[in-house]
Amino acid sequence: MKQFITPDLVYDYKALEPFIDEATMHLHHDKHHVAYTTNLNKALEKYPEWYEKSAEDILRHLDQVPEDVRLAVKNHAGGHVHHNILWETMMPNGKAMPEGELLQAINNSFESFENFKEGFTKMAMSVFGSGWAWLSLDNGKLIIDKTANQDSPYTLGYTPLFGFDVWEHAYYLKYQNRRAEYLENMWSVINWDKISEEYLKNK
Ligand code: MN3
């Protein structure tokens, strides 16, 4: 029977230093992400047919998940998928900005890349407590949005392209309460090529 697995990082745990530290990467990937995946599998034990679906599809159709496990599935499928996106859209020595069609679309939607960056950072700063800021596609249109906890853009009908994780576990070891400094440094480790690829696939 297929169950959900936590993918290995495709770069070293210390590859994102000094922006994202090695200890945080270990804690975040090996403990937090693994726990979301384990608990998603556990939540679906009574309904193994759901293991056959993608976690993205589960989040898109949460209302069809059996009610007794729906809340657990929402939280843990969300945590699982969102961290998959996070690891894939970070990289060492990331480019400062995207190129080509994605850059054009960002310019069209937000006037300029600088404007987009500022709006996205503001959105991430405005998350009260735990949650995420997202760049998503809403019927082909780029939007900046936020969700609380592990609530998912997929459940809202959007396709997330990348997100900033503003749960304290994502930054507290290195940055303590300095969320703004963490967010500023996140821009140095973005994998714009991967995000462009997802944009072109889903637009
Ligand atoms: Mn996290």
Side-chain angles (χ1 to χ4, degrees), residues 7 9 15 36 41 47 79 84 103 110 131 136 148 175 179:
L9 296 178
Y36 288 121
N41 286 326
Y47 306 100
N84 285 348
L103 179 60
F110 309 106
S136 292
Y175 294 99
R179 187 189 284 188

Side-chain angles (χ1 to χ4, degrees), residues 28 36 83 132 150 165 167 169-170:
H28 203 173
Y36 288 121
H83 290 89
W132 294 75
Q150 299 297 355
D165 185 348
W167 283 61
H169 69 225

Side-chain angles (χ1 to χ4, degrees), residues 9 62 66 68 72 81 83 87 119 127 137 152 157 161 168 176 190:
L9 296 178
L62 260 189
D68 60 329
V81 165
H83 290 89
W87 313 133
V127 174
L137 276 168
S152 187
L161 299 178
E168 285 185 344
Q176 289 85 46
I190 301 296

Side-chain angles (χ1 to χ4, degrees), residues 69-141:
V69 298
R70 195 178 298 154
L71 179 62
V73 169
K74 175 176 91 149
N75 290 335
H76 300 298
H80 173 69
V81 165
H82 299 158
H83 290 89
N84 285 348
I85 295 172
L86 182 66
W87 313 133
E88 283 184 355
T89 54
M90 293 200 290
M91 66 181 293
N93 308 311
K95 291 177 189 156
M97 59 167 79
E99 297 163 354
E101 242 183 274
L102 176 59
L103 179 60
Q104 229 167 45
I106 286 176
N107 287 338
N108 289 343
S109 300
F110 309 106
E111 289 178 19
S112 67
F113 181 73
E114 279 312 308
N115 233 25
F116 156 74
K117 234 173 113 170
E118 197 186 310
F120 194 89
T121 301
K122 255 189 206 150
M123 186 64 82
M125 284 302 292
S126 77
V127 174
F128 182 75
S130 297
W132 294 75
W134 298 105
L135 176 68
S136 292
L137 276 168
D138 173 12
N139 286 313
K141 193 177 162 321

